[in-house]
Amino acid sequence: MMIFGPAVDVRPLFPRERRAMLDLLTALGPAEWAMPTVCPGWDVHDVVGHVLNDYMRRLSGGRDGYGGAVFADDETLPSYLARTNDEFVRASRQLSPQLMIELLDHLGPRLDALWATRDLQAPADLNVSWASTDVDSPAWLDIGREYTEFWVHQQQVRDAVSVPGATEPDLMAPVLDIFARGLPHALRTHDRPEGSTAHLEVLGPAGGRWAVIRQDGRWRMAPPQGEPDARVSMDQDTFWRLATRGITVDQARQRSTMSGDAELTAAITTLLAVVA
């Protein structure tokens, strides 16, 4: 069931995003590694440890078939991820910044090689729960989700140490595009007549326009056309921070222009592209 729109192949971008991250980290001094980030309780060192955890987790599961940590009794996915992420970050505080840089540099190409083996239209290794909970994700969406994860954490480090970068349109635009695939899920509780549409416009060099349409009792991605029932416009910096809760929903709405169906515009501006 194609509700997610056309495929996005981000695989060629992983080495470039990683090079930008490694160049950034190599230039940091000890005080900068200890700077707090937007992630509660995590400094720059912790965020890098979390990225290293992502590399290791995806290689262990996707390449090696290793199940990893098991769910505790009655543990939800968000609480499981919060617990296991925190456990790894705490352990990674034993690692030097130089060693973490070397591990990312070593493991990155192995992760690239794993993605290269995947049929983009085949079922994902891990479903993207913020895009749908009742339709299996395609591999391209799962891989795209991982790219957004790495890019966003790089931006969080850059924010913490006041070093902008990695926002060239060819690196940033796919992040926004993948995040926009969360629109059908964001609107899922709002029943509307067949053919109803809503548009999201993201302004800036990396931005674009996305639309959803109500078809066969659910929202689906569709090409933007005509006059929508609801429209939201915001700049690219606001959108990625909204989608990852780097800013609040209220802050995002203050920075947005909205028109049409108020329930739909409210739902669009609560789009969340992380597990929470």
Side-chain angles (χ1 to χ4, degrees), residues 36 124 131 176 182 185 204 275:
L176 308 181
H185 189 65
V275 178

Side-chain angles (χ1 to χ4, degrees), residues 159-275:
D159 284 350
V161 299
S162 300
V163 179
T167 53
E168 303 94 317
D170 53 340
L171 287 180
M172 185 179 185
V175 174
L176 308 181
D177 195 1
I178 293 294
F179 284 168
R181 308 311 174 93
L183 282 168
H185 189 65
L187 298 179
R188 68 192 181 281
T189 62
H190 298 278
D191 191 7
R192 289 296 184 274
E194 285 282 298
S196 297
T197 59
H199 289 187
L200 168 66
E201 180 180 32
V202 177
L203 305 173
R209 292 177 64 219
W210 295 269
V212 286
I213 188 168
R214 188 75 177 177
Q215 283 184 342
D216 301 324
R218 69 182 306 144
W219 294 99
R220 305 165 184 270
M221 300 298 300
Q225 55 187 357
E227 187 61 29
D229 298 285
R231 183 197 304 274
V232 174
S233 177
M234 67 183 74
D235 67 71
Q236 61 187 33
D237 188 72
T238 297
F239 181 53
W240 83 258
R241 294 179 191 278
L242 165 70
T244 59
R245 289 304 182 265
I247 59 175
T248 66
V249 170
D250 285 342
Q251 287 173 320
R253 288 174 179 164
Q254 290 168 10
R255 302 179 193 180
S256 302
T257 302
M258 297 177 281
S259 61
D261 187 319
E263 288 187 351
L264 297 185
T265 59
I268 291 171
T269 51
T270 58
L271 183 146
L272 185 63
V274 294
V275 178

Side-chain angles (χ1 to χ4, degrees), residues 7-56:
V8 181
D9 187 1
V10 301
R11 292 176 297 181
L13 300 177
F14 281 99
R16 285 187 53 202
E17 185 281 330
R18 185 169 59 252
R19 185 73 265 152
M21 179 69 150
L22 293 174
D23 288 347
L24 169 68
L25 298 179
T26 301
L28 298 184
E32 292 168 309
W33 280 87
M35 293 291 287
T37 71
V38 70
C39 302
W42 285 3
D43 61 14
V44 166
H45 188 286
D46 293 334
V47 170
V48 176
H50 173 64
V51 173
L52 180 60
N53 181 28
D54 282 340
Y55 278 40
M56 291 181 166

Side-chain angles (χ1 to χ4, degrees), residues 4 6 24 58 78 95 100 105 109 119-120 128 137 141 152 156 158 185 196 205 219 223 228 230-231 245-246 261:
F4 304 111
L24 169 68
R58 293 310 300 252
L95 306 179
M100 290 202 294
D105 195 26
D119 174 356
L120 294 182
V128 181
S137 303
L141 188 59
V152 165
Q156 291 167 343
R158 289 183 179 278
H185 189 65
S196 297
W219 294 99
R231 183 197 304 274
R245 289 304 182 265
D261 187 319

